[in-house]
Amino acid sequence: MKNTVKVERAKNDFTQAQLAEKVKVSRQTINAIESGDYNLSTVLALKIAAVFHTTVDAIFELEEKDW
């Protein structure tokens, strides 16, 4: 799954640690999400979208290999 978490984080001037604190996960989890190495829960995806005041599908997108 592709995502734009890193881009959204940069637009909002958040560090990984700041975003992690806002959504109550570790900085390492945010790093893994940005790297595409983490299958996040629906709840976490909704929290991240809420922090950035956008929708889940604006941040996360399925790739061909996800089907």
Side-chain angles (χ1 to χ4, degrees), residues 6-16 18 52:
K6 188 173 183 176
V7 172
E8 292 297 328
R9 192 170 53 73
K11 281 197 248 179
N12 288 275
D13 201 26
F14 290 159
T15 64
Q16 288 183 341
Q18 289 169 324
F52 295 135

Side-chain angles (χ1 to χ4, degrees), residues 3 6 8 11 18 29 33-34 37 39 43 58 65-66:
N3 72 77
K6 188 173 183 176
E8 292 297 328
K11 281 197 248 179
Q18 289 169 324
T29 298
I33 292 168
E34 289 181 0
D37 296 331
N39 285 327
V43 171
K65 67 180 181 180
D66 296 321

